[in-house]
Amino acid sequence: MKLNTNNVKKMLSVVGKCKENKLLEITQYYELYFHPDGMSITATDSVNFITVSAPEGACNDEQKVIVKADQFSKLVNKMTTENIELQVKPDFLQVKGNGTYKCEIFTDEDYPDYEISPDRQYKVSTIDLVHGIQAGKHAKSQSAADGVLFSYLLRNEKVISADSIKVSYTGLKGFNDEILVPPALASLISAIDGDTVTLLINEDKTNIEIVGKNVVIYGALAEGPEEYPDVSFMFEEPYKYECKLDTQATLQALDRIQLFVGLYDSG
């Protein structure tokens, strides 16, 4: 298969967001799948999955190969040729670019897969979903000991995250449900492409599939969204004062003044 090097690099940067599970060897590998419509690369941490697809690399016969993720990614990212050629051998994946290389493959078993029987689906703005997760990253609790506050709550057209002090509350039009998204799954959402994304949720709200244009994410949802505290009243009550700040100028000022805040100062 002849592939554009830069396109493969972009695909690897997407699946690279899924981190390996040190306790499960197969998560140290990617699955490359070639078929009549193109190719796809899948990564998993044994709980969450991410797959990115492209129209190139199409072949008449379906072919799958499980390749060592770290070795293959580093090799492709060091390639400077316009194209690379992949050829599946019995014991290795041959990669041709700036030279010819043999990449380690996994042949002992099939790559993990998942099944989901969605009970409901929602179509939302990709920008709104990604922004909600990014905005709430530093507002949510950083400790799993804090229970539901460790995850992101999607509830009644809002993405919510909070700890005992901070709260993030952003809009997500079109999502009229209630689920808890764990941090490991949420970290993959930034890879979603396309203007809109489809959220497919099973009946007991334990699993979700997030479908973009060329990227599909699957993962387990956290338990207890109904236990998440209601913070909506904090944003609905009127405030006495209001002002507008230039975002960039404010961030730059905070960055400079941070140099003078010591470890034991009160902010």
Side-chain angles (χ1 to χ4, degrees):
M1 283 74 66
K2 188 175 183 179
L3 308 171
N4 179 272
T5 306
N6 286 332
N7 288 344
V8 178
K9 288 179 180 180
K10 291 176 182 177
M11 295 175 75
L12 290 171
S13 71
V14 171
V15 294
K17 294 179 181 295
C18 189
K19 306 306 179 185
E20 68 178 74
N21 182 334
K22 299 292 185 181
L23 302 178
L24 196 60
E25 184 183 6
I26 194 64
T27 65
Q28 300 172 18
Y29 292 78
Y30 294 150
E31 181 184 65
L32 277 58
Y33 175 34
F34 301 93
H35 49 83
D37 295 324
M39 69 170 293
S40 64
I41 304 177
T42 298
T44 183
D45 60 9
S46 77
V47 175
N48 304 300
F49 291 77
I50 183 168
T51 299
V52 57
S53 303
E56 62 179 334
C59 60
N60 293 329
D61 299 323
E62 294 187 1
Q63 193 168 20
K64 294 182 179 180
V65 60
I66 303 172
V67 63
K68 186 74 170 180
D70 184 60
Q71 184 185 61
F72 182 67
S73 295
K74 288 181 177 179
L75 176 61
V76 172
N77 282 313
K78 289 181 182 296
M79 293 287 191
T80 58
T81 54
E82 181 180 355
N83 299 298
I84 58 173
E85 292 185 20
L86 305 182
Q87 188 172 357
V88 181
K89 302 290 186 177
D91 299 316
F92 60 90
L93 175 67
Q94 180 173 284
V95 182
K96 285 187 177 181
N98 301 96
T100 302
Y101 308 87
K102 298 179 180 180
C103 284
E104 179 183 341
I105 61 175
F106 192 90
T107 58
D108 293 341
E109 60 184 75
D110 293 333
Y111 202 75
D113 200 358
Y114 66 87
E115 291 184 7
I116 184 170
S117 300
D119 177 66
R120 68 207 80 180
Q121 73 174 47
Y122 304 92
K123 185 165 287 189
V124 301
S125 163
T126 303
I127 292 176
D128 289 347
L129 179 60
V130 172
H131 173 67
I133 296 297
Q134 291 178 339
K137 182 178 181 180
H138 299 292
K140 78 174 193 68
S141 169
Q142 302 302 309
S143 172
D146 288 335
V148 295
L149 296 181
F150 185 58
S151 298
Y152 300 83
L153 177 70
L154 275 59
R155 172 191 282 167
N156 297 333
E157 298 194 326
K158 294 289 186 295
V159 180
I160 303 166
S161 62
D163 57 14
S164 58
I165 300 174
K166 305 181 295 295
V167 179
S168 174
Y169 196 73
T170 62
L172 187 64
K173 187 177 180 180
F175 187 81
N176 298 300
D177 210 327
E178 185 178 60
I179 59 172
L180 267 181
V181 181
L185 176 58
S187 67
L188 302 180
I189 291 178
S190 63
I192 285 291
D193 59 348
D195 295 331
T196 60
V197 57
T198 302
L199 308 181
L200 304 170
I201 305 169
N202 65 350
E203 185 176 3
D204 56 3
K205 298 182 182 179
T206 55
N207 300 99
I208 186 172
E209 188 175 42
I210 305 169
V211 183
K213 183 180 179 181
N214 296 306
V215 179
V216 177
I217 297 168
Y218 167 87
L221 295 171
E223 299 179 355
E226 67 283 351
E227 300 174 8
Y228 206 97
D230 183 10
V231 298
S232 59
F233 70 92
M234 299 173 60
F235 296 88
E236 293 170 355
E237 64 181 25
Y239 288 88
K240 186 176 180 180
Y241 301 106
E242 179 181 316
C243 69
K244 291 185 178 181
L245 300 174
D246 180 283
T247 305
Q248 192 63 32
T250 304
L251 290 174
Q252 290 173 350
L254 289 170
D255 189 48
R256 291 192 298 271
I257 205 168
Q258 180 70 28
L259 299 173
F260 300 92
V261 180
L263 182 61
Y264 300 104
D265 291 339
S266 298

